[in-house]
Amino acid sequence: MTFAILAAGEGSRLAQEGVELPKPLVRVNGEAMIDRLIRIFKQNGAESIYIITNNLTSLTQEHLLQLQAMDERIHLIVKTTPSSMHSFYELRKLMGNGKFCLTTVDTIFREDEFEQYIHAWSQSEEDGLMAVTDYIDDEKPLYIATSNDLTITGFFDNEPQHFISGGIYGLNASSYPIIDKCIAEGQSRMRNFQRQLIKDGLRLKAYPFSKILDVDHACDIEKAEAFLSSKD
């Protein structure tokens, strides 16, 4: 399967709070977040890993270029984009037509749950399988409404639902014309792209994780380490 990582954000909140490393290189339990994702993707059968990072942080570029030189499965785009949706659009130009799993670089999850999710997505006949969680610790969560069989019926900013988006997206090439349309219409943000998927009739299912965290603030690093170290 193809995997992709959105790592083009500036990580400005972490920097303002004294974290000196760019977000992709921030360590959680001694491992850079982007290295953790790459390792987990390889363990789950990655044939290709596409990564986009911005052209503002030379440390991240140098690190990823070194990894790319050692592993032909890693493909890197260096480009500053206005939103995560635009970052996905840039990656989409290089990715093949099969199923893929796309994540944001700061998504923290349990590895066993991710393995089960990838297996489920590889077997799914839906157009997409989106990771969700009922753990809400996000400043601006994207709420996800589902039917009883976990078919996704809507994405909402201000209408609380049982689940929120976990920042892990299993999709296939049927999503490409929709991201192209969103860009052509001047839309931005991944949540608007996801809304368009529903509007255009794609069949999306939710896949619950026990907990998924984002590392947006310095205090989130400690939360992430505690979560990964716990057995709860």
Side-chain angles (χ1 to χ4, degrees):
M1 187 181 295
T2 295
F3 291 80
I5 304 172
L6 303 177
E10 295 182 19
S12 56
R13 286 172 289 188
L14 287 170
Q16 291 168 3
E17 295 170 7
V19 177
E20 296 182 356
L21 287 171
K23 181 183 278 192
L25 301 184
V26 169
R27 293 181 173 273
V28 173
N29 285 344
E31 186 175 26
M33 289 194 290
I34 198 156
D35 290 354
R36 178 176 187 268
L37 287 177
I38 292 170
R39 172 179 59 78
I40 293 170
F41 293 167
K42 289 180 180 179
Q43 290 172 352
N44 283 276
E47 297 172 356
S48 298
I49 303 173
Y50 293 87
I51 305 169
I52 182 168
T53 187
N54 63 54
N55 53 18
L56 305 175
T57 54
S58 58
L59 280 177
T60 303
Q61 294 175 44
E62 292 167 5
H63 180 76
L64 291 173
L65 286 170
Q66 290 176 359
L67 295 181
Q68 184 180 44
M70 295 185 292
D71 193 330
E72 63 183 10
R73 290 173 292 183
I74 296 175
H75 308 272
L76 178 63
I77 297 175
V78 178
K79 185 173 184 177
T80 299
T81 60
S83 76
S84 56
M85 191 188 79
H86 288 80
S87 292
F88 171 45
Y89 174 70
E90 295 299 328
L91 291 175
R92 163 261 184 277
K93 298 176 184 178
L94 302 180
M95 293 161 57
N97 290 325
K99 290 184 173 182
F100 61 89
C101 174
L102 172 75
T103 74
T104 53
V105 72
D106 62 340
T107 301
I108 304 295
F109 49 80
R110 287 205 169 100
E111 295 182 34
D112 58 340
E113 291 186 314
F114 185 79
E115 180 180 359
Q116 294 161 15
Y117 162 75
I118 290 298
H119 177 74
W121 173 223
S122 69
Q123 302 298 312
S124 175
E125 297 182 358
E126 308 296 330
D127 295 310
L129 189 65
M130 317 298 262
V132 301
T133 180
D134 60 5
Y135 175 78
I136 303 176
D137 185 29
D138 197 306
E139 295 172 346
K140 296 180 179 179
L142 176 62
Y143 295 101
I144 296 181
T146 65
S147 61
N148 290 335
D149 68 349
L150 293 179
T151 295
I152 296 175
T153 57
F155 297 90
F156 303 98
D157 291 323
N158 300 308
E159 297 180 33
Q161 308 288 328
H162 183 68
F163 292 120
I164 66 168
S165 172
I168 304 171
Y169 317 98
L171 293 165
N172 59 31
S174 63
S175 66
Y176 291 163
I178 298 173
I179 187 69
D180 294 347
K181 180 169 72 172
C182 288
I183 293 295
E185 292 177 350
Q187 298 189 50
S188 63
R189 307 190 71 191
M190 280 296 288
R191 58 185 59 196
N192 292 326
F193 162 66
Q194 292 176 80
R195 291 187 180 103
Q196 195 66 49
L197 293 173
I198 296 294
K199 289 179 182 178
D200 285 11
L202 268 64
R203 299 171 301 163
L204 306 180
K205 282 284 187 76
Y207 186 93
F209 280 60
S210 62
K211 186 185 289 189
I212 299 176
L213 306 179
D214 292 334
V215 178
D216 291 321
H217 296 280
C219 63
D220 293 333
I221 301 171
E222 185 176 346
K223 289 181 184 178
E225 292 179 335
F227 164 53
L228 294 177
S229 299
S230 73
K231 297 181 180 180
D232 297 332

